[in-house]
Amino acid sequence: MRRALRQVEAIGSVDVELLERNSTAGLVIERVLANLTDMAFDINCHVSRASSGRTPETFSESCEGAIRSGLIDRELASELMPADGPHHVVMQLCLDTEPEQVEAVVARALSAFQEFERRATEWAGRGDVV
């Protein structure tokens, strides 16, 4: 997860100028955001299984399990999966219709996944977890 975050961070500002100059940048970033969502789902599922014995089937269920285990709070869960859809899907839609919004979508996603990674690292370092 850290490596994927660093890859997107290294790109810098994902503004309209970048998207026009490098037509594949948006597609690559969208794919990395999708991978980050998959990684968060996998981590949440592992934590949920370890703490409750249940394996979530959806991202929302995995976040609920992660909340119950103390990995994340409800606020971070809503940032990981905003009401308007997964970050990578929102970004993909913005690429087609509102490229000026992509920068904000990417910044929000990075912030959420950076915080998730920080909390997951902290949670894994506790002595009472498996």
Side-chain angles (χ1 to χ4, degrees):
M1 185 171 264
R2 279 188 196 130
R3 184 175 62 211
L5 287 166
R6 282 194 307 265
Q7 289 170 335
V8 176
E9 291 165 352
I11 293 170
S13 181
V14 185
D15 55 17
V16 174
E17 182 182 326
L18 170 69
L19 297 172
E20 288 176 355
R21 187 177 67 246
N22 183 346
S23 61
T24 60
L27 300 173
V28 170
I29 294 166
E30 181 271 331
R31 188 72 242 147
V32 173
L33 294 181
N35 288 340
L36 286 165
T37 300
D38 291 344
M39 286 184 251
F41 176 70
D42 290 344
I43 292 166
N44 286 347
C45 285
H46 173 76
V47 167
S48 185
R49 247 188 330 271
S51 63
S52 72
R54 288 185 278 147
T55 301
E57 294 185 23
T58 66
F59 192 85
S60 294
E61 289 175 9
S62 80
C63 285
E64 288 299 322
I67 291 167
R68 282 191 300 277
S69 73
L71 173 63
I72 61 175
D73 57 25
R74 197 156 300 284
E75 182 180 341
L76 181 54
S78 68
E79 283 301 308
L80 291 169
M81 182 61 75
D84 51 350
H87 299 287
H88 64 284
V89 173
V90 173
M91 181 184 170
Q92 186 179 48
L93 294 172
C94 287
L95 284 170
D96 294 335
T97 61
E98 299 175 289
E100 67 279 359
Q101 297 297 316
V102 170
E103 188 172 12
V105 171
V106 172
R108 183 179 184 189
L110 280 177
S111 176
F113 288 117
Q114 288 164 338
E115 181 61 15
F116 178 82
E117 189 275 332
R118 186 192 69 75
R119 291 189 193 188
T121 299
E122 183 180 280
W123 190 89
R126 293 182 355 201
D128 64 337
V129 297
V130 178

